[in-house]
Amino acid sequence: MIAASALDLRRQVALLSGSDSWNTEPLPEDGVPSCALSDGPHGLRFQADAGDHLGVSGSEASTCFPTAVTVASAWDEELAERIGRALAVEARALGVDVVLGPGLNIKRHPLCGRNFEYFSEDPLLSGRLAAAMVHGLQRHGVGACLKHFAVNNQESHRFVVDAVVDERTLRELYLAGFEHAVKESRPWTVMAAYNSVNGHPATQNRRLLTEILRGEWGFDGLVMSDWAATNDRVAAVAAGLDLEMPGSNGLFDRDVLKAVESGRLPAGLVQASAQRVLDLVERSGREKGPSADHDALARSAAAEGTVLLTNDGLLPLAPGRTVALIGAFAERPRYQGSGSSLVNPTRITTALDEFRRRGIAVTYAPGYDPADSHHDPALIAEAVAAASAADVAVVMAGLPPVYESEGFDRTDLGLPGQHDELIAAVCAANPRTVVALSNGAPVLMPWKDAPAAILECYLGGQASGAALVDVLYGDAEPGGRLAETFPASLDDVAAGPWFPGEPHQVEYREGLAVGYRHHTTAGIAPLFAFGHGLSYTTFAWSDVTGDRGSVTLTVTNTGTRAGADVVQVYLHDRTGVVARPRRSLAGYAKVRLAAGQSTTVTVAVPERAYAFYDVTAGDWRTPAGEFDLEIARSSTDVVATVTVTVSDGVTAAAEPAGTPLIAATDEQFRRRLGRPVPQPRPVRPFTRDSTLDEVAATRLGRLFKAALWRAAPIDEATRANPAELAMYEHSLAELPLRAAAIFSGGKLRWGTIDLLLRLFNGFGGRRG
Ligand code: BGC
């Protein structure tokens, strides 16, 4: 492959933007082919033609694996790697070189609309699972893309919001998973997020992209932008953003050329980025391979990620009982989320299909409308009648697609009222009721104690219906443990008052008080704890020993069936040196045992688990003193404790023990930030960064927004799909003008945008 140094500046610059939605720019005269990118993360969304980036136009059929939230619940790196490998096989069959995933943003708040696409609220678990998936892909010749780097923890205003977060929280919570995955699995690419971080767009954040990612972590791959996240292209190159995606028809090329010619941008930086594009192309050039059928893997993965939340012994179901199968998800399953990750599945097996295939007679009652679940007492009455007449009722409930999606956040934690009423009524009619939930993030369960068993199936991919029936009858074990906290109330989420923040600024004042870190510190009982999950068998833990580097114990399957257990080790810092959450995950191990089998399990505790990020030193430090390693079944169920003494640690920290984790007041937040709390960027005057909704405060802006809406690729199918339509509406409303220019495929040039801006700000800027 030609070296970037052998290309003239114009061709180097050309390499720095995609040629369309999914390919890098080829240079045929120099023998440089393009590299094909495709979403990700739980299946391929390969669009052979120009396509779109929000999943509204069709894509080639691919296996739809369980979404990240389901995979994470399996706590199983081997499984994540197997899925990665299967994705690589399918990618190579389609000629895809890089899969845009995994996504590993932290679930700061349970209402983030895209939580289904992320692993966990915990960075250790997220980082390990992401690394495993990257290994699965890259060991089989297909590149991965860690996304969205960084602090992209909400959908609201994602294109323009500035995440204001202190350095320690950034390092310990929001970067730690990326750090682990980068160092451990050496991903080919990383995707810079839409949002800003501490005043600088992630795409032009030199500190993140160059100093931390490359300098500190040794990342040697390519950084690409999220789709149309580019703002100031020159600043982006200077910051270390190599590739702008999608292609913007040369929108920014002149800026970059001029900046180099005038000496404002060092030519060496352009050359280095062009070289990284060439390196990616070089790494990619694989032969196409045969595809394979991965439905069975998707099916077993869905069961592995299913969490048995409660069970009075009804599950697994004894064969021969009559079943009332209730809930429209039984025939119209909710198995993935809307947005850029939407996969066109190779097939779908519904629960109803699987019951029928097994020859099990079920009475089916839909119970609700699967699209919007509006109030409908007649559907509940029909379901109650079916449940009363059967031995057992299985209610499939959850969140309809319009409740959670890329592009917008949820507004409350509840299920649709119709689902809550349905569950309560069915349980009252038949106490032998199993509730199986399909949702991408935590929900409230006001009826929690009524069913005999609750299964959290999450969004289980194309075979989720079959997997549910496998689990119900015990052909597969629900192997999951929650990778996130289910709060009992929205009030218990520490980030609540600052989520999703102002359109231009979100303040991470809760600091490290996220998920179970907050619940365990504040002593708040969750609805279901991080790490919780029952099994169809029972396990005994004994002979616990440990030292600074690991904990060892004997795990025995004391039941009569094979099963999987997850040993979790939490760190409790008792040194009194530094303010810390009461518990943080320090290690875990998943173990599978036959009935009666026993094994020795060693859980490694990395040195990093003890350390905190010392902002004064700009490095990680371990406090001196005593730590408890808590060996636990969940973040609230500690079985044994090993005490470790660190004598070679530090004895002072900027935030000593006793400092509240939540910086509620301006003064506390200012102190933690080490600078005044910034003011959000003003809405006026309008700039290229202004959103369509913002400029729509003017008459001309309204007309402009309406014209773009008319030009959007919204067909009848989208119009008839409330989730897709909602995603489009939100995305368009929040789209900044610069992104509209990028997406316009060359129709909107800067001259037009800047002229419009003058009008919006001047004559056309009159309110009304
Ligand atoms: C999403 C990315 C995705 C990209 C391309 C963006 O809107 O945030 O996750 O990879 O589109 O579809």
Side-chain angles (χ1 to χ4, degrees):
M1 177 84 51
I2 194 165
S5 55
L7 299 172
D8 60 24
L9 181 64
R10 190 190 50 77
R11 282 177 298 166
Q12 288 179 4
V13 170
L15 281 178
L16 304 192
S17 302
S19 66
D20 57 23
S21 286
W22 303 117
N23 295 283
T24 63
E25 183 74 38
L27 298 176
E29 67 280 18
D30 299 299
V32 179
S34 60
C35 166
L37 320 172
S38 173
D39 281 309
H42 54 265
L44 274 295
R45 186 170 67 90
F46 178 68
Q47 299 185 315
D49 50 15
D52 68 291
H53 85 297
L54 277 180
V56 283
S57 29
S59 54
E60 302 291 316
S62 297
T63 308
C64 179
F65 292 97
T67 59
V69 60
T70 319
V71 175
S73 306
W75 291 61
D76 186 344
E77 284 146 70
E78 203 209 309
L79 176 71
E81 182 163 351
R82 284 216 312 276
I83 293 174
R85 184 168 63 219
L87 286 172
V89 169
E90 297 195 17
R92 287 182 60 185
L94 291 167
V96 168
D97 301 306
V98 175
V99 173
L100 302 174
L104 66 154
N105 294 101
I106 289 293
K107 300 184 192 199
R108 173 188 182 222
H109 198 291
L111 293 184
C112 171
R114 218 173 169 182
N115 274 355
F116 69 89
E117 232 182 298
Y118 301 138
F119 292 117
S120 176
E121 67 192 25
D122 182 84
L124 182 122
L125 187 56
S126 300
R128 286 204 191 171
L129 293 170
M133 195 170 265
V134 173
H135 279 316
L137 280 159
Q138 295 190 171
R139 286 177 179 155
H140 296 84
V142 172
C145 179
L146 295 186
K147 68 186 188 183
H148 309 87
F149 190 63
V151 207
N152 180 179
N153 309 99
Q154 65 189 58
E155 291 303 282
S156 306
H157 320 295
R158 62 176 171 157
F159 302 122
V160 293
V161 75
D162 179 22
V164 180
V165 55
D166 67 277
E167 183 74 8
R168 181 172 172 214
T169 304
L170 182 68
R171 297 289 188 147
E172 292 188 21
L173 213 46
Y174 296 103
L175 297 187
F178 283 96
E179 177 180 2
H180 176 83
V182 165
K183 289 178 172 171
E184 164 68 27
S185 62
R186 306 188 58 174
W188 291 7
T189 71
V190 165
M191 186 187 290
Y194 284 122
N195 52 284
S196 294
V197 182
N198 290 328
H200 301 281
T203 49
Q204 31 192 96
N205 200 311
R206 191 177 155 73
R207 180 146 173 67
L208 282 178
L209 303 186
T210 296
E211 291 170 19
I212 296 178
L213 181 63
R214 293 188 196 283
E216 292 183 28
W217 303 347
F219 176 65
D220 60 0
L222 168 141
V223 180
M224 71 180 82
S225 70
D226 199 343
W227 266 231
T230 313
N231 186 347
D232 177 336
R233 188 76 187 86
V234 174
V237 176
L241 183 96
D242 303 310
L243 176 66
E244 177 212 359
M245 287 303 294
S248 58
N249 290 72
L251 196 63
F252 296 103
D253 288 6
R254 223 161 48 113
D255 294 351
V256 180
L257 285 168
K258 272 186 11 204
V260 174
E261 281 154 11
S262 69
R264 234 175 1 108
L265 181 67
L269 289 182
V270 172
Q271 186 176 311
S273 285
Q275 187 58 52
R276 289 191 197 109
V277 176
L278 293 174
D279 291 345
L280 181 68
V281 173
E282 173 99 65
R283 269 173 152 172
S284 306
R286 295 277 175 161
E287 296 290 296
K288 272 197 170 190
S291 197
D293 187 346
H294 295 119
D295 190 64
L297 174 59
R299 180 172 178 163
S300 61
E304 294 275 343
T306 297
V307 185
L308 181 61
L309 293 176
T310 64
N311 185 16
D312 73 358
L314 180 66
L315 290 181
L317 294 178
R321 294 184 163 190
T322 57
V323 176
L325 180 60
I326 292 162
F329 289 165
E331 58 172 353
R332 295 264 303 277
R334 175 90 208 289
Y335 64 97
Q336 65 172 330
S338 298
S340 61
S341 67
L342 193 85
V343 174
N344 171 17
T346 55
R347 81 190 74 137
I348 295 175
T349 314
T350 68
L352 198 54
D353 293 337
E354 181 60 17
F355 271 110
R356 289 187 176 142
R357 195 195 61 75
R358 289 173 178 238
I360 302 170
V362 293
T363 326
Y364 168 63
Y368 53 82
D369 176 303
D372 64 5
S373 300
H374 59 270
H375 189 60
D376 189 336
L379 286 176
I380 294 182
E382 183 198 4
V384 164
S388 312
D391 294 336
V392 173
V394 174
V395 184
M396 295 182 67
L399 293 176
V402 74
Y403 276 67
E404 57 183 345
S405 167
E406 177 175 344
F408 57 91
D409 295 315
R410 284 193 292 162
T411 48
D412 70 78
L413 275 179
L415 291 176
Q418 176 80 4
H419 288 230
D420 281 335
E421 274 179 47
L422 174 72
I423 294 168
V426 168
C427 291
N430 187 340
R432 289 173 310 282
T433 293
V434 179
V435 173
L437 293 170
S438 302
N439 45 289
V443 292
L444 298 177
M445 302 178 204
W447 37 261
K448 176 186 156 217
D449 298 322
I454 306 172
L455 287 164
E456 178 51 84
C457 305
Y458 283 120
L459 305 182
Q462 65 181 44
S464 56
L468 171 61
V469 183
D470 292 345
V471 164
L472 288 173
Y473 287 96
D475 301 322
E477 225 224 346
R481 305 289 185 269
L482 293 177
E484 61 188 354
T485 303
F486 274 51
S489 152
L490 211 44
D491 297 339
D492 297 341
V493 180
W498 306 287
F499 178 93
E502 306 275 318
H504 291 181
Q505 183 162 307
V506 50
E507 296 168 5
Y508 281 52
R509 293 196 184 212
E510 74 288 354
L512 298 172
V514 168
Y516 72 88
R517 284 173 164 73
H518 173 57
H519 274 73
T520 56
T521 308
I524 301 168
L527 180 65
F528 291 107
F530 175 87
H532 170 74
L534 306 174
S535 169
Y536 285 165
T537 184
T538 46
F539 295 95
W541 296 358
S542 56
D543 313 326
V544 178
T545 59
D547 56 24
R548 188 159 162 175
S550 65
V551 166
T552 300
L553 68 159
T554 305
V555 179
T556 308
N557 180 343
T558 49
T560 53
R561 318 169 48 96
D565 203 6
V566 179
V567 179
Q568 302 159 39
V569 177
Y570 295 88
L571 183 100
H572 175 203
D573 183 336
R574 294 201 285 109
T575 64
V577 172
V578 59
R580 282 188 119 162
R582 170 64 180 78
R583 264 182 203 130
S584 45
L585 188 68
Y588 65 91
K590 179 143 195 178
V591 47
R592 279 188 186 74
L593 293 172
Q597 196 189 351
S598 226
T599 193
T600 303
V601 176
T602 297
V603 182
V605 179
E607 197 49 38
R608 173 59 70 81
Y610 294 90
F612 67 100
Y613 191 81
D614 181 339
V615 289
T616 320
D619 206 350
W620 297 86
R621 294 280 185 261
T622 298
E626 286 198 340
F627 294 85
D628 285 340
L629 296 177
E630 299 177 320
I631 297 92
R633 296 188 192 280
S634 79
S635 58
T636 56
D637 185 3
V638 174
V639 175
T641 299
V642 167
T643 299
V644 169
T645 305
V646 170
S647 49
D648 55 351
V650 297
T651 51
E655 288 190 318
T659 315
L661 289 186
I662 303 170
T665 67
D666 284 357
E667 177 50 24
Q668 285 168 326
F669 196 43
R670 185 197 64 74
R671 231 180 297 133
R672 184 169 286 169
L673 287 174
R675 60 186 167 111
V677 180
Q679 288 299 309
R681 179 170 57 81
V683 171
R684 289 177 188 243
F686 300 122
T687 67
R688 289 179 183 184
D689 241 350
S690 298
T691 65
L692 292 180
D693 250 11
E694 285 166 352
V695 301
T698 69
R699 194 164 42 83
L700 200 59
R702 268 198 301 285
L703 292 173
F704 181 60
K705 183 182 168 195
L708 289 191
W709 179 251
R710 279 195 301 276
I714 296 175
D715 56 16
E716 276 319 301
T718 304
R719 255 177 247 288
N721 182 331
E724 272 182 14
L725 202 59
M727 180 180 58
Y728 241 103
E729 278 167 0
H730 282 272
S731 298
L732 197 88
E734 295 184 359
L735 201 69
L737 298 177
R738 59 178 158 79
I742 297 173
F743 282 137
S744 74
K747 292 192 199 84
L748 276 175
R749 311 299 298 185
W750 289 134
T752 316
I753 295 281
D754 293 340
L755 174 66
L756 283 170
L757 277 171
R758 277 199 294 281
L759 295 170
F760 296 151
N761 281 320
F763 168 72
R766 276 185 323 196
R767 283 168 204 273

